Amino acid sequence: MSTVEARATAEAREPGVRSKSNSPRQIPVVGVVTEDEDAQSALKPMDLNRVIKLLEETDKADLEEKQLKAVKILVQNYQNGFKVSDEITYAEDTANSIALLGDLMKVPSSELRIQICKCIVDFYHAEPPKKHIPGYQQASSSYKIQMAEVGGLAKTMVQSLTLLDNQLVEKLWVLKALQHLSTSEVNCTLMMQAQAASSICAHLNDPDPSGQLLFRSSEILWNLLEKSPKEEIIRQLSNLECLLALKEIFKHLFMRGFSHYDRQLRNDILVITTIIAQNPEAPMIECGFTRDLILFATFNEVKSQNPLVKGLKLSNSYEDFELKKLLFNIIVILCKDLPTVQLLIDGKVVLALFTYVKKPEKHKIIEWSAAQYEELQLHAIATLSSVAPLLIEEYMLCQGNARILAFLEWCESEDSFFSHGNSFHGTGGRGNKFAHMRYTLRLLRAMVYLQDETVNNDLCEKRTIQQLIGIFKNTISKSNDKEEAIVLEIQSDILLILSGLCEHNIPRKEIFGTEGVDVILHVLKTDPKKFQSGLGYIVLLFSTLDSIWCCILGCYPSEDYFLEKEGIFLLLDLLALNQKKFCNLILGIMVEFCDNPKTTVHVNSWRGKKDQTAASLLIKLWRKEEKELGVKRDKHGKIIDTKKPLFTSFQEEQNIMPLPADCPTVAVMDVAENIRAKIYAVLGKLDFENLPGLSAEDFVTLCIIHRYLDFKIGEIWNEIYEEIKLEKLRPVTTDKSILEAITTASENIGKMVASLQSEMIESQARQDIQNEQRVYAKIQATHKQRDLANKSWENFLARTSNAKNLKKAKRLQEKAIESSRYNERPPNAIFHQTDIKGLNTTVPSGRVVTLESTPARLVGGPLADTDIALKKLPIRGGALQRVKAVKIIDEPKKNVLT
């Protein structure tokens, strides 16, 4: 029904419709939108299924309010009605009709096939209709494309290619149509199902004077790789026929392509080849493509008499520069296939790449710009890191070690050089040589980690260890915040190289010496907060710990120097951070260091936060590890299951099964998979009996640690016994009794430890009660003393405020004094008067009393009215004041004192 007819029908059904000004607007249930109406603004989409589901619900609270709200939103969104059109009504028929276009390609008519392809291309480049029909609108391009996807047109178009082997014009039109269809992921998946990749790639080299076949085919292959499952497309292309076609077309473009377009197309073909080469099953060597690619990658650096490259030269154009990088990249991928190694040797790839490992020569004309040469230089060194380890003999023939060390010396020098740092490989190296140093050290690390004695001996003879330590020290002084990440990577690589050189070699560890230890100590003193910064500090720390293991341990002078410089304290500080990622490695180092008799004193002397000792820290780590492993313990840390005192939750879940003799069981693997064995080893070397700074909880845990080896042995014997049962073997009587005795003894050890733990817990409980009682007694004594002080103060106030009380106190004092004297005075005894004449204090006093409560200006000083005051001249402003002369009278019989 057209729009005009729909409107006429609506008017016929509503004859009484009034004008807009006299009645509210009538909203049709179904609105037919024409090209003159903006459907997107008139109709807003809404999830109707959600609204229907909400209206069907009956058992939720506040349901009515939610339903009303949903209905209001529904009415508001669809106030202009619901859209309907022929696009929806006839979608299925349209998809089937478009699918028939692909079937019509079977008709042997050139004109029909070309017209079908033009029709498909028009889906993507629709033109407005020449004649407008009122009430109708043209189907949109997106609708046509969608219907083509639903109808599976792309698949039938790919299948039609087999009918056009000798018909170039028709094939080019089909490829043009497929080029447009391949912009959709749905179509690419359909084309993949029709084996489009292999069928198109196999005919890349077909004759075509226009060049359209190669261009459109490569574009389709690109889209297939990007918009469909990549692995399947690579599998389709990994056959001899496709690779031969790619090889021939690449050689043709490489040797005879001079235009900008040809060079771009050549690079695209090489990228597609690189993706295919990632498949190890691709016959790259069998088709001869690998040999040609190696030749093209090295002919500029190593002169070749091969006619393919005779007289050939690359320019410094962008396309040729990209080609050179792509060739370096594909060499890295090809060298992963070991049969390629011989071709790399024949092509002198190592020698070609080493031509870039040298400082830039001034005043020399080269084919590349400075920025291009720098990028190629870094790329070549990165490529060597993958190739050189496979070709050790060629590496040594090229004097690779000498070249690398000389280049590192240039990287460290103050030679004026401005790095552009434009490329991926040049990241972080703008204005300096850090990028060159980073990739050179990566190359050196790759060679050292081969553990080839020829290479490593040659490096050590060339004083590599001393040179690397010097480079590390220089990077410390030269680095800044902007270059921090790349400097940390350089430092990590240096330490890893030193570890590889010094491992298992005492003379080299001695060369590492105190200077190397100082470098390690510098890293260990890093602020712990930086380990969370994400700039490579964690990697540097791991490299440092590895270098301690490989460069210090086993060399006693270095160990002693490390201890002397408080290196063990630094390791324990790191351990106290409680970072699981490096606890295992630090504990392993601690185990080895404890073989040195001087280590124990340092470990026991260390103190952490809140005066924590090393033994307490290790026991705390043990408890944390057991908690994470799910070991059964009660709230006091006591053993629960005496038969399986060390069992983790993982071991509980695993069923014991018979295993070959060379296969470790779960109990054995448990030793290596957590840190408990290392903690046991360290504490054992520190002597379990004399560990300082432990709490009662620590001692309870220490009982388990002390018996760790016994428990583990019993655990393994129990596994053996269970495996014998599972295999239905019956040991002889003697063996059976021995097995039972071992398991019983292990269980008895568990019971003994549990009993000892119970005694410790009870003893601690009694000690806690005694401590509590002492605290209460102290509090009680404090309160009693406070009461006595209060009572004394009350008495003092009573004496000072009431003369009768004062006299009474004086009499009691004198009576006490008299009662303490001898009744009869000894002959020739000298009697000393204890009272001070003229004293006006209210407390018992000696010869000198200092009163702070009464200001001096009110009483004339503390000794103003005493006999002592008469013997000294008074001073102005002091405690004594000037007084009139007084007459000394006879001593009073009583002095008023408190």
Side-chain angles (χ1 to χ4, degrees):
M1 183 185 293
S2 67
T3 306
V4 175
E5 291 172 339
R7 288 177 178 172
T9 304
E11 290 174 1
R13 291 180 181 177
E14 298 177 11
V17 173
R18 290 174 292 179
S19 63
K20 185 175 181 180
S21 58
N22 297 326
S23 66
R25 179 171 58 91
Q26 299 297 319
I27 302 175
V29 177
V30 176
V32 181
V33 181
T34 66
E35 61 183 352
D36 299 327
E37 296 176 336
D38 188 1
Q40 299 300 326
S41 61
L43 302 172
K44 300 178 181 178
M46 186 176 179
D47 188 356
L48 297 179
N49 291 329
R50 185 179 177 186
V51 177
I52 293 171
K53 185 178 179 181
L54 182 62
L55 293 174
E56 290 175 347
E57 291 179 353
T58 57
D59 56 347
K60 287 188 177 181
D62 301 330
L63 186 62
E64 184 178 353
E65 183 179 349
K66 292 181 180 179
Q67 289 175 339
L68 287 173
K69 184 178 180 181
V71 171
K72 288 179 181 179
I73 297 174
L74 179 67
V75 172
Q76 183 179 1
N77 281 2
Y78 293 101
Q79 59 182 332
N80 294 311
F82 296 91
K83 180 182 177 181
V84 68
S85 71
D86 291 344
E87 290 183 353
I88 299 174
T89 305
Y90 299 105
E92 184 177 355
D93 295 336
T94 305
N96 293 333
S97 300
I98 292 177
L100 289 175
L101 293 176
D103 295 332
L104 289 174
M105 291 294 294
K106 298 177 183 177
V107 178
S109 171
S110 176
E111 185 178 355
L112 175 62
R113 290 169 175 170
I114 293 172
Q115 193 60 40
I116 290 172
C117 294
K118 287 182 178 180
C119 178
I120 295 171
V121 172
D122 286 343
F123 289 174
Y124 296 86
H125 304 285
E127 297 180 358
K130 296 179 180 179
K131 185 178 180 181
H132 176 68
I133 303 175
Y136 294 89
Q137 65 177 8
Q138 185 180 6
S140 64
S141 295
S142 60
Y143 177 75
K144 296 175 187 176
I145 294 170
Q146 183 183 3
M147 291 300 102
E149 293 174 354
V150 174
L153 178 62
K155 188 174 183 179
T156 55
M157 292 300 292
V158 172
Q159 293 170 346
S160 69
L161 283 173
T162 57
L163 308 173
L164 308 173
D165 286 341
N166 300 317
Q167 301 172 39
L168 179 60
V169 177
E170 297 169 23
K171 181 185 288 187
L172 291 177
W173 272 106
V174 172
L175 289 175
K176 185 175 182 180
L178 287 173
Q179 182 182 355
H180 286 82
L181 289 170
S182 64
T183 57
S184 160
E185 292 184 3
V186 176
N187 287 335
C188 282
T189 303
L190 292 170
M191 293 168 67
M192 177 196 71
Q193 295 171 358
Q195 303 292 314
S198 56
S199 59
I200 292 174
C201 185
H203 296 279
L204 278 176
N205 205 29
D206 288 357
D208 173 28
S210 67
Q212 291 186 44
L213 187 145
L214 179 59
F215 165 69
R216 299 195 186 282
S217 298
S218 62
E219 187 71 20
I220 293 170
L221 290 176
W222 263 114
N223 290 338
L224 287 172
L225 286 167
E226 289 181 353
K227 301 180 184 298
S228 59
K230 189 175 179 180
E231 295 75 15
E232 176 60 22
I233 300 299
I234 292 175
R235 189 192 64 77
Q236 292 183 16
L237 295 173
S238 298
N239 59 70
L240 196 61
E241 187 179 10
C242 290
L243 287 172
L244 282 172
L246 287 168
K247 170 191 169 185
E248 294 303 321
I249 197 65
F250 179 76
K251 285 168 60 177
H252 173 77
L253 292 172
F254 192 93
M255 299 167 61
R256 296 178 178 84
F258 300 104
S259 67
H260 176 74
Y261 165 76
D262 288 341
R263 289 171 176 172
Q264 282 187 331
L265 196 56
R266 172 199 64 192
N267 291 354
D268 290 344
I269 296 296
L270 183 55
V271 173
I272 294 172
T273 304
T274 303
I275 295 172
I276 299 172
Q278 295 175 3
N279 182 11
E281 297 179 1
M284 293 288 294
I285 298 176
E286 291 81 349
C287 69
F289 207 173
T290 299
R291 183 181 295 276
D292 290 345
L293 289 171
I294 292 173
L295 174 66
F296 293 145
T298 59
F299 80 95
N300 252 20
E301 294 78 20
V302 179
K303 300 304 178 184
S304 174
Q305 300 301 321
N306 193 304
L308 289 176
V309 294
K310 190 174 182 180
L312 193 62
K313 189 176 182 181
L314 296 177
S315 67
N316 62 353
S317 65
Y318 175 78
E319 290 76 20
D320 284 352
F321 173 61
E322 288 296 315
L323 171 69
K324 192 68 177 178
K325 293 194 295 181
L326 289 171
L327 288 169
F328 283 165
N329 186 56
I330 201 170
I331 285 176
V332 174
I333 294 172
L334 292 173
C335 72
K336 295 177 182 178
D337 188 13
L338 290 180
T340 310
V341 170
Q342 187 58 47
L343 297 178
L344 295 173
I345 295 172
D346 297 340
K348 300 180 179 179
V349 173
V350 174
L351 178 61
L353 293 172
F354 261 120
T355 59
Y356 291 91
V357 188
K358 60 182 180 180
K359 66 178 182 179
E361 298 180 12
K362 297 179 180 179
H363 312 298
K364 182 178 179 181
I365 300 175
I366 57 176
E367 59 270 27
W368 309 108
S369 67
Q372 287 176 333
Y373 182 79
E374 178 193 333
E375 191 169 344
L376 289 177
Q377 186 179 43
L378 294 171
H379 205 148
I381 297 172
T383 305
L384 267 173
S385 300
S386 300
V387 175
L390 302 174
L391 309 171
I392 298 177
E393 186 176 347
E394 283 65 33
Y395 173 85
M396 295 303 294
L397 288 174
C398 293
Q399 297 183 337
N401 287 339
R403 289 175 183 251
I404 290 173
L405 295 176
F407 192 68
L408 277 176
E409 188 177 351
W410 171 78
C411 293
E412 190 186 9
S413 67
E414 299 294 335
D415 185 17
S416 58
F417 174 78
F418 183 81
S419 173
H420 295 269
N422 296 326
S423 65
F424 165 78
H425 295 93
T427 303
R430 186 171 181 81
N432 55 56
K433 305 172 190 173
F434 283 146
H436 298 76
M437 185 180 291
R438 170 171 55 184
Y439 282 98
T440 308
L441 288 170
R442 284 186 186 179
L443 170 57
L444 188 58
R445 185 187 68 188
M447 298 308 300
V448 168
Y449 267 66
L450 294 173
Q451 292 298 316
D452 185 274
E453 281 304 310
T454 305
V455 175
N456 289 357
N457 285 335
D458 184 60
L459 284 170
C460 293
E461 289 172 1
K462 291 180 168 58
R463 297 177 57 83
T464 304
I465 295 175
Q466 295 92 323
Q467 183 176 350
L468 290 176
I469 292 173
I471 292 173
F472 192 103
K473 290 181 177 179
N474 287 338
T475 57
I476 296 173
S477 59
K478 291 181 180 179
S479 63
N480 53 53
D481 293 340
K482 186 178 180 180
E483 300 157 353
E484 187 175 20
I486 190 171
V487 169
L488 290 174
E489 184 180 345
I490 288 171
Q491 292 175 344
S492 300
D493 282 339
I494 289 174
L495 292 176
L496 289 174
I497 293 167
L498 290 170
S499 299
L501 290 174
C502 296
E503 189 175 14
H504 309 308
N505 194 302
I506 299 300
R508 294 177 189 170
K509 292 182 181 182
E510 292 174 351
I511 295 173
F512 184 80
T514 57
E515 290 190 4
V517 175
D518 287 335
V519 165
I520 290 174
L521 292 171
H522 171 80
V523 179
L524 293 178
K525 292 176 182 177
T526 304
D527 184 359
K529 294 179 181 178
K530 291 186 177 180
F531 294 139
Q532 308 298 331
S533 64
L535 289 175
Y537 279 100
I538 285 290
V539 178
L540 179 60
L541 178 59
F542 275 111
S543 303
T544 305
L545 295 175
D546 186 59
S547 61
I548 293 174
W549 196 291
C550 298
C551 303
I552 296 178
L553 288 172
C555 180
Y556 292 119
S558 297
E559 286 186 10
D560 291 345
Y561 185 75
F562 185 82
L563 292 171
E564 180 186 339
K565 294 296 182 178
E566 300 182 350
I568 287 293
F569 288 1
L570 297 174
L571 286 177
L572 288 169
D573 288 340
L574 287 174
L575 196 61
L577 295 177
N578 206 4
Q579 295 288 328
K580 190 174 180 63
K581 45 195 165 188
F582 47 75
C583 276
N584 203 339
L585 189 53
I586 294 175
L587 286 170
I589 294 170
M590 294 286 295
V591 171
E592 297 298 324
F593 251 113
C594 285
D595 288 337
N596 190 322
K598 299 178 182 178
T599 304
T600 304
V601 178
H602 288 264
V603 174
N604 288 331
S605 300
W606 177 83
R607 293 294 182 272
K609 292 181 179 179
K610 298 181 180 179
D611 206 31
Q612 184 182 33
T613 63
S616 177
L617 171 62
L618 293 171
I619 294 171
K620 180 181 177 183
L621 290 174
W622 175 285
R623 285 197 294 268
K624 180 175 180 289
E625 184 76 2
E626 287 200 329
K627 185 177 180 181
E628 293 176 356
L629 294 172
V631 181
K632 293 180 180 178
R633 299 281 185 262
D634 67 4
K635 62 180 182 179
H636 300 293
K638 182 184 168 184
I639 292 174
I640 294 177
D641 189 351
T642 56
K643 292 183 179 180
K644 301 173 182 178
L646 297 178
F647 252 46
T648 64
S649 59
F650 176 76
Q651 288 177 277
E652 293 282 358
E653 295 169 0
Q654 298 298 312
N655 295 323
I656 296 176
M657 60 182 65
L659 295 172
D662 59 344
C663 184
T665 63
V666 177
V668 175
M669 290 299 295
D670 174 74
V671 176
E673 290 176 350
N674 57 69
I675 63 175
R676 291 190 293 178
K678 293 184 176 65
I679 293 175
Y680 165 77
V682 174
L683 290 175
K685 292 183 178 182
L686 294 177
D687 187 1
F688 285 106
E689 304 298 330
N690 299 308
L691 298 176
L694 300 185
S695 63
E697 184 183 13
D698 292 338
F699 278 112
V700 170
T701 307
L702 188 63
C703 292
I704 302 173
I705 302 174
H706 194 187
R707 289 291 186 172
Y708 172 79
L709 188 58
D710 295 329
F711 290 148
K712 184 56 66 174
I713 291 173
E715 196 175 295
I716 293 170
W717 275 111
N718 184 62
E719 280 187 340
I720 294 171
Y721 197 13
E722 292 298 326
E723 286 184 17
I724 291 173
K725 291 179 181 178
L726 289 172
E727 292 177 353
K728 297 181 180 180
L729 299 175
R730 188 172 62 183
V732 297
T733 306
T734 307
D735 290 346
K736 183 178 181 180
S737 61
I738 291 173
L739 282 172
E740 290 175 351
I742 291 172
T743 53
T744 303
S746 177
E747 185 177 353
N748 289 338
I749 293 173
K751 292 178 180 178
M752 180 189 68
V753 171
S755 175
L756 180 60
Q757 288 179 316
S758 298
E759 291 178 7
M760 288 183 174
I761 293 168
E762 291 173 2
S763 175
Q764 182 60 34
R766 290 193 298 270
Q767 184 65 37
D768 291 342
I769 292 173
Q770 292 176 2
N771 292 339
E772 185 177 355
Q773 289 175 347
R774 281 196 292 268
V775 171
Y776 285 149
K778 187 176 180 180
I779 293 172
Q780 188 177 10
T782 302
H783 281 284
K784 185 176 181 180
Q785 187 65 30
R786 189 177 299 164
D787 292 341
L788 291 174
N790 291 338
K791 188 174 181 181
S792 176
W793 176 249
E794 290 173 359
N795 293 334
F796 174 75
L797 290 178
R799 293 195 305 270
T800 55
S801 59
N802 191 321
K804 292 182 180 179
N805 291 338
L806 180 62
K807 292 177 181 180
K808 182 179 179 181
K810 179 64 176 176
R811 287 194 298 269
L812 291 174
Q813 182 186 31
E814 289 177 348
K815 184 177 180 181
I817 293 172
E818 288 298 328
S819 63
S820 66
R821 292 175 178 172
Y822 290 107
N823 293 328
E824 296 181 0
R825 183 177 299 177
N828 303 324
I830 300 174
F831 177 77
H832 296 280
Q833 185 68 34
T834 59
D835 295 335
I836 302 174
K837 296 180 179 180
L839 192 63
N840 294 327
T841 61
T842 58
V843 294
S845 305
R847 301 290 289 181
V848 178
V849 175
T850 302
L851 294 177
E852 297 180 354
S853 60
T854 306
R857 68 177 182 274
L858 299 179
V859 296
L863 302 177
D865 296 334
T866 64
D867 294 341
I868 299 176
L870 302 178
K871 300 177 182 179
K872 294 186 178 181
L873 294 176
I875 58 175
R876 188 179 302 273
L880 304 179
Q881 299 292 328
R882 187 180 298 275
V883 296
K884 298 179 180 179
V886 295
K887 181 180 179 181
I888 299 177
I889 59 177
D890 294 338
E891 176 182 337
K893 294 182 179 180
K894 293 183 180 179
N895 292 327
V896 181
L897 296 174
T898 22

